[in-house]
Amino acid sequence: MSENEASAAEGPGEAAEIRDASPTDTPDSSSPTAPDSLTDVAPTRKARRRPETITAAEVEETPKAEEQPAKTTSESTVSQGGWGYWGSWGKSILSTATATVATVGQGLTQVIEKAETSLGIPSPTEVSAQVEEEQKQQGSSPADDAGSEKDKAVGDGSSAVGSAMGMLSSLTSVVQSTGKTVITGGLDALEFIGKKTMDVIAEGDPGFKKTKGLMNRNATLSQVLREAKEREELQTAQTEMSESEKKVVAHYGMLFDEFQGLSHLEALEILSRESESKVKSVLTTLSGDKRVQLREELDHIKESFSLVEFDDEEVDEKKDEDGSEFDRDISEALEGLSVSATANKLSKACKNACSQITHMTQPEKEEEESEGDGNKAASVEEVHAAAIRSLAELTARSIELFHKLAETILFSSSSTDASLLSQLTVVLCKEISLLSKKFTSCLTTAGSNEKGDVLNPLITGVFLEASNSASYIQDAFQLLMPILEISHIQRRAESSEQ
Amino acid sequence: MAYAYLFKYIIIGDTGVGKSCLLLQFTDKRFQPVHDLTIGVEFGARMITIDGKQIKLQIWDTAGQESFRSITRSYYRGAAGALLVYDITRRDTFNHLTTWLEDARQHSNSNMVIMLIGNKSDLESRREVKKEEGEAFAREHGLIFMETSAKTASNVEEAFINTAKEIYEKIQEGVFDINNEANGIKIGPQHPTTNSTLSGSQGGQQPGGGCC
């Protein structure tokens, strides 16, 4: 791990470096940050961790640094409001990126320097100057449009493009294509930096590899996850041979598979794919007004799938000590949908996680007072392992729930309200976010005597997997759309027959 | 945990013949006399060893109810092996075998290995279907045959493992194209090169959800 080589300076302060990423800067140049900023950043909100979007976020962030070089992490988190009409997606991407940045900590200066020196890439200032120059030179070339769009957006943060984005905040495809437009519009150098930075970060952080795996845009979610799992299996096999002192290592992908998350996801994908092609073939058999009408009805269903919003600033760490609130929310969201058995499994998983947290928080405090250091080092890893395991279980159960919902929807001819499902998605993502916050504060407590280079990667790992979990859940939710569509078409056909 | 191959199985057959119980006996080595009705499909997995190689069985236990048929059919595709189960104490479950078989053949790949299973062999006194009848049906349709008891665990292990052996032999003979995931076989993670072709070949397929 490259982080380990870095000095033991506090993570958050260093994190400002990425914004201020010119190679001549020393870590001291950034102002210190309140330590709690570490736990403040929660990456799970609307966490679409597609690399393109992250790159886009970095694109935004870098020029910003020129304006306010001394910004600290916590300040910039607050100041996201200033990005105005970039709206919630911009905000969430920013905070996602910030979280990664903040928690990776001291590794980052090194990362940036490594990325820059290994590439011979100029500082952000030079790059943006270069971009401007390129624009001038290129004159009316196609890149110009996108480039100036970017300039507008970065310049005052209130461009028309931005406001449109805000409205379509949860349409990933839009986000992705926007990211692409911005990048292809003469910002290749920045994209390159972004990708390279990700690569270098990934070198130091195994958890990041999964996110990198998502770069393969053609792969289905289950493939991505399976590949991640296989990599982990390989890794484990190799480390077992090479390092015998390897301690408790939690592998999200393997655990996710163990909880049958992969299988349920695969099955859900099959149903979704088949429904999708059925919907398409129905649409091709219809003609004229009938087709237009059905299209409209289907668009109505689609709308419910593009309006998932959740703001995890509302997520309060103190809330829901034992998972009973989650239980209530889930049963509320699932009222009228007959999937109680699976919902119970989910609630149980959540309650388990909550009781684990309670267990881990209390003895830890006692230990601190009486025994001192004791076996602190092991307990940090235990907390981490418990966190990853809980996230994997909760996510697997969530996917299972969506799969069972899909089957029930296809099976029964009653109508299912898409907004119920989106509400359910919000509840699940909130729970993931809440759990990750609880676990990381648990980690912080358990690791109060640890050096940053031990603790920070673990915290990053939890946030990353929480963020991945939230996006798997949201992707699984999207898989339900064709299923609701075909169910709608079937009901329609039945009622017209009568 | 690393495996050389992963085989996908499906378990099919009338409702109440003991499909879920067979799976539970195989994966958890226990018997549960009362089982919830399976909705759609449930899953189980277990590692076995054939010819010194670790093989992971990923088992899709489908719902037997007629009303779920249209959903469960979707899951047949991409299975390397199928356990077709009837209840030796209920002749109707034996009579429905032809329908099940047609369904399975139609919705899966032609090389799928099918094991015919007469379950509940512990209930000899209530037997309605003779063992010879099962054997004859299997011979006629080119299936492997076994009578099992999920309750006593008799032959359960063998049923799953013999199916895997047959698949493994077919791989050795080159009948199965292991690079085609539609055959229900995946190569384990220790073959990184083959793996990447695997994912590459499937990468062209329609991604499940990205339609909006």
Side-chain angles (χ1 to χ4, degrees):
Chain A
M1 286 202 208
S2 64
E3 286 100 311
N4 294 346
E5 296 154 24
S7 70
E10 277 300 313
E14 214 94 9
E17 288 296 302
I18 189 142
R19 238 166 256 102
D20 196 12
S22 107
T24 51
D25 267 314
T26 64
D28 305 317
S29 69
S30 60
S31 44
T33 320
D36 63 351
S37 67
L38 246 182
T39 43
D40 271 349
V41 279
T44 49
R45 78 189 86 177
K46 300 262 311 90
R48 292 283 174 181
R49 298 187 47 80
R50 301 295 188 227
E52 281 104 326
T53 59
I54 288 176
T55 318
E58 281 172 23
V59 167
E60 286 169 52
E61 275 187 277
T62 322
K64 194 184 168 200
E66 293 164 47
E67 298 159 25
Q68 295 147 310
K71 272 258 173 268
T72 63
T73 312
S74 56
E75 273 173 324
S76 66
T77 317
V78 174
S79 73
Q80 277 157 15
W83 290 82
Y85 292 101
W86 277 91
S88 52
W89 79 268
K91 185 176 144 205
S92 59
I93 290 166
L94 255 181
S95 51
T96 308
T98 316
T100 315
V101 163
T103 43
V104 169
Q106 62 267 54
L108 268 176
T109 325
Q110 208 193 357
V111 161
I112 294 297
E113 275 171 15
K114 199 168 165 191
E116 283 174 346
T117 50
S118 67
L119 289 168
I121 277 174
S123 75
T125 330
E126 289 170 60
V127 171
S128 65
Q130 198 187 332
V131 168
E132 267 171 47
E133 213 164 289
E134 263 175 39
Q135 266 174 241
K136 280 180 211 147
Q137 282 168 1
Q138 282 170 351
S140 58
S141 77
D144 191 29
D145 283 330
S148 55
E149 262 175 29
K150 163 255 160 194
D151 262 8
K152 253 191 282 167
V154 171
D156 56 22
S158 59
S159 73
V161 188
S163 68
M165 285 311 115
M167 282 168 59
L168 298 168
S169 56
S170 50
L171 279 174
T172 7
S173 53
V174 174
V175 174
Q176 279 156 2
S177 62
T178 312
K180 266 183 203 145
T181 333
V182 172
I183 289 158
T184 48
L187 283 169
D188 310 38
L190 281 175
E191 185 195 12
F192 199 40
I193 295 176
K195 283 224 174 96
K196 192 67 191 176
T197 309
M198 297 256 299
D199 285 344
V200 181
I201 291 174
E203 273 173 35
D205 180 5
F208 220 85
K209 285 183 185 142
K210 259 185 292 304
T211 319
K212 257 188 69 189
L214 294 173
M215 273 186 193
N216 184 1
R217 292 298 306 131
N218 289 326
T220 61
L221 182 57
S222 64
Q223 271 177 280
V224 168
L225 281 164
R226 184 177 311 110
E227 278 162 27
K229 184 204 73 176
E230 281 168 2
R231 264 196 304 275
E232 287 169 2
E233 276 170 355
L234 252 189
Q235 261 176 27
T236 330
Q238 283 163 356
T239 44
E240 268 165 9
M241 278 181 272
S242 58
E243 293 174 57
S244 49
E245 28 75 80
K246 205 77 189 163
K247 291 171 210 154
V248 213
V249 187
H251 287 299
Y252 181 92
M254 281 162 71
L255 290 165
F256 182 75
D257 185 42
E258 219 171 87
F259 291 114
Q260 301 295 352
L262 262 184
S263 303
H264 281 289
L265 185 58
E266 223 173 284
L268 176 58
E269 278 172 351
I270 290 174
L271 294 179
S272 182
R273 220 160 31 221
E274 289 201 348
S275 303
E276 200 181 341
S277 62
K278 275 184 201 160
V279 171
K280 271 188 192 141
S281 71
V282 168
L283 276 172
T284 51
T285 55
L286 290 178
S287 59
D289 286 349
K290 277 185 177 170
R291 179 167 14 182
V292 173
Q293 205 203 330
L294 180 59
R295 273 250 159 78
E296 271 171 20
E297 289 169 29
L298 295 183
D299 282 345
H300 187 69
I301 294 175
K302 280 196 178 85
E303 268 170 35
S304 311
F305 280 86
S306 56
L307 291 172
V308 190
E309 282 291 341
F310 93 100
D311 188 356
D312 74 347
E313 263 149 39
E314 287 168 20
V315 178
D316 183 358
E317 227 178 292
K318 300 283 178 296
K319 265 174 54 186
D320 205 13
E321 288 282 343
D322 54 356
S324 57
E325 264 177 63
F326 175 68
D327 195 17
R328 204 195 52 220
D329 287 351
I330 282 288
S331 4
E332 215 169 90
L334 290 174
E335 220 177 83
L337 304 163
S338 44
V339 284
S340 54
T342 318
N344 286 344
K345 277 195 205 169
L346 184 61
S347 292
K348 222 170 110 192
C350 176
K351 279 182 182 147
N352 271 344
C354 289
S355 68
Q356 263 183 318
I357 292 171
T358 322
H359 275 295
M360 285 184 303
T361 340
Q362 274 145 10
E364 223 61 72
K365 278 176 192 155
E366 286 159 26
E367 221 178 318
E368 243 169 81
E369 286 154 14
S370 55
E371 290 168 47
D373 284 4
N375 44 6
K376 277 274 143 53
S379 65
V380 179
E381 264 126 36
E382 274 165 24
V383 175
H384 177 256
I388 300 298
R389 191 179 181 82
S390 298
L391 288 173
E393 179 172 10
L394 206 64
T395 311
R397 296 287 175 234
S398 302
I399 307 277
E400 177 177 351
L401 182 63
F402 281 133
H403 171 219
K404 287 293 138 190
L405 277 169
E407 288 178 336
T408 333
I409 291 166
L410 288 173
F411 171 66
S412 71
S413 51
S414 62
S415 117
T416 309
D417 191 355
S419 65
L420 273 182
L421 299 175
S422 71
Q423 191 194 331
L424 175 66
T425 310
V426 170
V427 171
L428 293 171
C429 290
K430 268 192 178 166
E431 191 58 30
I432 293 282
S433 165
L434 181 65
L435 272 183
S436 69
K437 282 181 180 177
K438 283 184 186 170
F439 271 117
T440 44
S441 71
C442 202
L443 261 178
T444 319
T445 323
S448 54
N449 296 334
E450 296 285 346
K451 279 185 182 165
D453 56 359
V454 175
L455 189 56
N456 287 348
L458 295 179
I459 290 177
T460 314
V462 173
F463 274 136
L464 271 175
E465 296 304 3
S467 159
N468 287 335
S469 297
S471 46
Y472 302 152
I473 290 172
Q474 288 170 62
D475 286 352
F477 164 64
Q478 292 298 329
L479 289 173
L480 287 174
M481 188 170 72
I483 287 157
L484 284 197
E485 287 179 339
I486 197 69
S487 153
H488 172 80
I489 290 170
Q490 276 161 0
R491 252 177 298 117
R492 214 168 169 264
E494 277 164 25
S495 62
S496 68
E497 271 169 27
Q498 283 162 8
Chain B
M1 281 299 281
Y3 51 85
Y5 295 104
L6 183 146
F7 296 164
K8 174 181 166 180
Y9 278 18
I10 49 168
I11 311 183
I12 53 175
D14 275 10
T15 182
V17 297
K19 297 182 294 295
S20 300
C21 291
L22 281 169
L23 176 61
L24 191 70
Q25 183 59 258
F26 179 65
T27 57
D28 289 28
K29 296 194 176 12
R30 62 193 171 94
F31 178 69
Q32 202 177 312
V34 186
H35 219 282
D36 286 343
L37 270 182
T38 307
I39 297 173
V41 68
E42 284 300 334
F43 302 99
R46 209 188 107 178
M47 208 71 97
I48 57 168
T49 311
I50 290 175
D51 196 17
K53 289 205 167 65
Q54 292 280 350
I55 291 173
K56 185 173 178 177
L57 300 183
Q58 190 202 45
I59 304 143
W60 296 45
D61 168 31
T62 64
Q65 271 178 299
E66 178 62 39
S67 47
F68 274 113
R69 202 72 68 84
S70 70
I71 297 175
T72 50
R73 267 197 284 261
S74 312
Y75 300 135
Y76 292 6
R77 194 180 307 266
L83 305 187
L84 171 54
V85 189
Y86 69 92
D87 177 351
I88 62 154
T89 70
R90 279 163 57 205
R91 176 153 295 273
D92 58 324
T93 65
F94 182 77
N95 293 340
H96 293 154
L97 287 178
T98 329
T99 329
W100 281 110
L101 200 58
E102 276 169 14
D103 230 22
R105 291 244 158 96
Q106 198 184 335
H107 292 93
S108 65
N109 73 79
S110 50
N111 291 320
M112 183 168 77
V113 173
I114 304 175
M115 161 78 78
L116 180 65
I117 292 178
N119 192 32
K120 309 197 185 177
S121 64
D122 54 295
L123 301 175
E124 193 55 52
S125 60
R126 286 163 52 191
R127 182 188 280 275
E128 283 184 12
V129 183
K130 277 188 237 139
K131 192 176 180 185
E132 290 73 32
E133 292 176 83
E135 281 168 347
F137 186 92
R139 213 174 316 121
E140 191 183 330
H141 294 92
L143 319 174
I144 331 169
F145 175 70
M146 252 179 184
E147 280 196 350
T148 62
S149 164
K151 190 176 178 181
T152 66
S154 149
N155 270 347
V156 172
E157 197 93 340
E158 289 81 354
F160 282 89
I161 290 173
N162 289 354
T163 311
K165 278 185 184 155
E166 183 92 358
I167 297 169
Y168 186 77
E169 273 166 32
K170 282 198 175 188
I171 294 175
Q172 305 301 312
E173 291 162 10
V175 178
F176 273 123
D177 174 14
I178 48 172
N179 287 326
N180 182 355
E181 231 176 86
N183 283 327
I185 297 162
K186 288 173 196 133
I187 304 167
Q190 61 265 62
H191 303 273
T193 44
T194 349
N195 240 349
S196 62
T197 35
L198 257 185
S199 60
S201 66
Q202 220 206 6
Q205 285 178 14
Q206 169 66 13
C211 53
C212 67

